[in-house]
Amino acid sequence: MIDKALSRRKFLAGAGTAAAGAMIIGCNNSTPAPTTTPTPTPTPLDIPDNDILNFALNLEYLEAEFYLYAATGAGLSSADALTGAGTTIVPAGIKAVPWTSPVFAQYAAEIAQDELNHVRFLQAAITGNKGTPVPRPALDLTFFGPLAVAAKITTSPTFNPFDGNNDFLIGAFVFEDVGVTAYSGAAPLLANNNILTAAAGIQATEAYHAAEIRTLITAADGAAGNQTYTTIANQVSALRATLGGGKETPLSVSSIVAADPTYAIAFGRTTDQVLHIVYGAAGGAGLSKGGFFPNGLNGKITATAS
């Protein structure tokens, strides 16, 4: 358990839906009012809740490993990774980030604990829903290097988010907005209202994390008097947009929130779009591994459909 320096945030989260209808008013005569055939409501994909939860669990394993290594220099315990877990590839000689800012270190420790709690919650939720949580898949935390090349941040795959405070922020930026959009996209697929409510709560926490990281990046650049890391973050954002169907908001001192600009609603991504991002591969059906998941995800939602 990480010794957190900041108290846990409490939040209320909920999910709701709205429907609209039209009334036909008949004239004052004997002719019946015309009737119309209702437009059928689109039916969400028929994916069992446990399959969706296991998909989310794969992503939480990835986030937990990243933040735990950043905060402590070590990943999940064997008990939390579950029997049959894959290995996590890490940069050579990895230790905790050599923090020069106690505040950044506190944030990393807090988020690491949150992500560990999410892993444990999803495992328990799947078990409680008469399912079997998947173990941690094989993960590759060295993929940040090739990703930096693909985002045109550098021409050499040497970027390492564990090298320092600001490098850590970029690594965190890679994940956080994806987590928010993944939970938004999964919400309509969940049938169990209790699970839906819990997923909305996790999404809220991920949104807090995303806002925290986005704010720290712009604040760090403000203190340095340049736009170095804001520019890098936006290069990552542009790459995510290419891989994951757009749904990005450029980062700036006056634009922290990633949301639809018309109604300020958080973006949602399909499981297909999320897979393209974490596999680091553009459009195409049948992709089942790559990027941060060298052997693919565990569970039933593992391959891209388009």
Side-chain angles (χ1 to χ4, degrees):
M1 187 73 68
I2 297 170
D3 182 16
K4 297 178 291 179
L6 301 180
S7 61
R8 182 70 50 227
R9 292 182 175 86
K10 296 182 180 179
F11 60 89
L12 295 175
T17 58
M23 181 179 294
I24 298 174
I25 303 175
C27 299
N28 185 20
N29 56 39
S30 59
T31 303
T35 59
T36 59
T37 301
T39 301
T41 302
T43 302
L45 295 174
D46 185 14
I47 303 175
D49 284 357
N50 282 337
D51 291 345
I52 298 168
L53 294 181
N54 267 321
F55 178 79
L57 180 56
N58 278 274
L59 302 180
E60 295 292 355
Y61 281 134
L62 176 60
E63 288 191 285
E65 286 285 90
F66 168 72
Y67 285 108
L68 286 168
Y69 271 106
T72 71
L76 290 162
S77 69
S78 57
D80 287 314
L82 300 184
T83 301
T87 59
T88 297
I89 303 170
V90 297
I94 190 171
K95 297 179 181 178
V97 172
W99 304 107
T100 57
S101 166
V103 173
F104 279 29
Q106 290 173 340
Y107 280 134
E110 180 184 33
I111 298 176
Q113 185 65 56
D114 286 348
E115 302 300 356
L116 175 57
N117 290 344
H118 288 170
V119 166
R120 292 170 175 171
F121 171 79
L122 288 171
Q123 289 172 346
I126 294 165
T127 300
N129 201 37
K130 299 180 180 179
T132 302
V134 297
R136 180 191 63 204
L139 300 173
D140 186 358
L141 295 181
T142 69
F143 181 64
F144 287 101
L147 184 147
V149 174
K152 299 180 181 179
I153 296 168
T154 177
T155 58
S156 175
T158 57
F159 174 75
N160 183 348
F162 304 105
D163 277 347
N165 293 354
N166 292 341
D167 297 308
F168 160 77
L169 291 181
I170 295 302
F173 181 80
V174 169
F175 292 139
E176 289 304 335
D177 287 350
V178 178
V180 176
T181 59
Y183 279 103
S184 291
L189 306 177
L190 293 168
N192 185 310
N193 284 337
N194 290 330
I195 293 176
L196 174 60
T197 300
I202 295 177
Q203 186 215 29
T205 302
E206 298 292 351
Y208 282 132
H209 294 168
E212 188 172 76
I213 296 303
R214 292 170 72 92
T215 301
L216 287 173
I217 290 172
T218 56
D221 275 356
N226 58 51
Q227 295 292 298
T228 300
Y229 286 91
T230 300
T231 299
I232 291 174
N234 283 332
Q235 287 173 279
V236 171
S237 178
L239 176 62
R240 279 199 311 239
T242 299
L243 300 177
K247 303 176 182 180
E248 294 283 332
T249 299
L251 182 60
S252 72
V253 293
S254 60
S255 178
I256 297 297
V257 179
D260 161 48
T262 303
Y263 298 109
I265 296 174
F267 295 118
R269 283 189 169 101
T270 64
T271 56
D272 190 61
Q273 291 169 331
V274 172
L275 286 173
H276 278 294
I277 292 174
V278 297
Y279 288 162
L287 298 171
S288 59
K289 63 182 179 180
F292 291 108
F293 294 89
N295 297 331
L297 277 67
N298 286 334
K300 294 185 178 179
I301 304 175
T302 62
T304 60
S306 61

